[in-house]
């Protein structure tokens, strides 16, 4: 049995933190997992910036409400789900992802949780499990699934490399150059064809 595991941001929807950086006028928040391989370091840094600017969850959610899936993303996802099971694996948070899942037709997503204070400030976050994407792929494999994975960032490499087939999608040049053995593509048609050939 096959299951396709897809990253969310940069693959199906724009990067949330980049959108928030632009809306808030804080350029430092443009840094993502495409730039920083250490997710905990990245998130701790983000939370410090939010505290320094007195920005809470509601401020980020207002921006998220304006984000639309990438052009063609929902059609790609719908076509893929007609052929096989699809699971979105993301390091984002349920408080960020829910409105985006609505726009994508409610696909299944495994992600993390924010811890929010009574004042609406984000005080911490709870990771579902260590190396969540890789751990989930291995868990799926342990119960009889063959995984096919795709993502664009450093934190997707583990699940891509551990899967029967894996693909980079719209990845930065630095990642493509560092991992030339991983097939890379730029369009949903290309990615769909690669995935269907691997099923």
């Amino acid at each position: 049995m096959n299951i396709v595991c897809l990253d969310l941001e940069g693959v199906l929807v724009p990067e949330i933190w980049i959108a928030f950086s632009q809306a808030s006028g804080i350029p430092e928040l443009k840094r993502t997992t495409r730039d920083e391989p250490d997710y905990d370091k990245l998130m701790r840094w983000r939370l410090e910036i939010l505290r320094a600017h007195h920005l809470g969850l509601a401020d980020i959610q207002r921006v998220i409400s304006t984000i639309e899936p990438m052009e063609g993303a929902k059609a790609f996802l719908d076509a893929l789900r007609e052929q096989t099971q699809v699971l979105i694996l993301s390091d984002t948070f349920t408080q960020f992802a829910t409105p985006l899942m609505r726009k994508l037709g409610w696909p299944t997503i495994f992600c993390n949780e924010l811890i929010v204070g009574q004042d609406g400030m984000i005080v911490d976050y709870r990771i579902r499990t260590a190396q969540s994407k890789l751990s989930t792929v291995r868990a799926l494999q342990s119960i009889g699934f063959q995984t096919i994975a795709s993502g664009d960032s450093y934190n997707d490499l583990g699940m891509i490399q551990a899967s029967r087939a894996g693909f980079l999608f719209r990845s930065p040049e630095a990642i493509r150059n560092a991992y030339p053995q991983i097939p890379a593509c730029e369009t949903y048609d290309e990615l769909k064809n690669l995935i269907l050939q691997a099923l």
Side-chain angles (χ1 to χ4, degrees), residues 79-90:
L80 206 54
R81 291 167 73 191
E82 288 180 5
Q83 302 297 320
T84 187
Q85 296 296 308
V86 179
L87 176 61
I88 297 174
L89 300 181
S90 176

Side-chain angles (χ1 to χ4, degrees), residues 31-165:
R31 192 166 179 79
T32 72
T33 52
R34 289 171 160 231
D35 312 298
E36 174 55 66
D38 186 330
Y39 186 74
D40 186 64
K41 177 181 176 182
L42 178 63
M43 273 306 300
R44 297 287 167 206
W45 181 73
R46 286 167 169 169
L47 294 185
E48 286 179 17
I49 293 172
L50 292 177
R51 278 191 290 271
H53 290 270
H54 307 289
L55 294 167
L57 176 60
D59 299 297
I60 301 173
Q61 287 177 324
R62 273 193 291 275
V63 174
I64 292 171
S65 70
T66 69
I67 294 174
E68 295 295 327
M70 292 178 175
E71 187 175 348
K74 187 175 184 303
F76 159 75
L77 197 55
D78 289 346
L80 206 54
R81 291 167 73 191
E82 288 180 5
Q83 302 297 320
T84 187
Q85 296 296 308
V86 179
L87 176 61
I88 297 174
L89 300 181
S90 176
D91 282 334
T92 193
F93 307 95
T94 55
Q95 295 95 329
F96 289 3
T98 300
L100 299 170
M101 294 305 98
R102 182 181 297 113
K103 292 177 180 181
L104 286 169
W106 295 112
T108 300
I109 183 170
F110 289 179
C111 58
N112 303 311
E113 290 280 338
L114 291 169
I115 300 171
V116 183
Q118 291 186 343
D119 60 356
M121 297 297 290
I122 302 169
V123 296
D124 206 348
Y125 61 96
R126 187 177 297 114
I127 298 294
R128 185 171 49 80
T129 186
Q131 295 184 314
S132 61
K133 296 181 183 186
L134 175 59
S135 298
T136 301
V137 159
R138 287 182 172 157
L140 290 166
Q141 291 166 348
S142 77
I143 57 171
F145 284 99
Q146 295 285 338
T147 60
I148 299 165
S150 183
D152 69 324
S153 298
Y154 285 106
N155 63 339
D156 299 314
L157 294 170
M159 73 169 179
I160 288 171
Q161 292 173 317
S163 292
R164 190 183 76 198

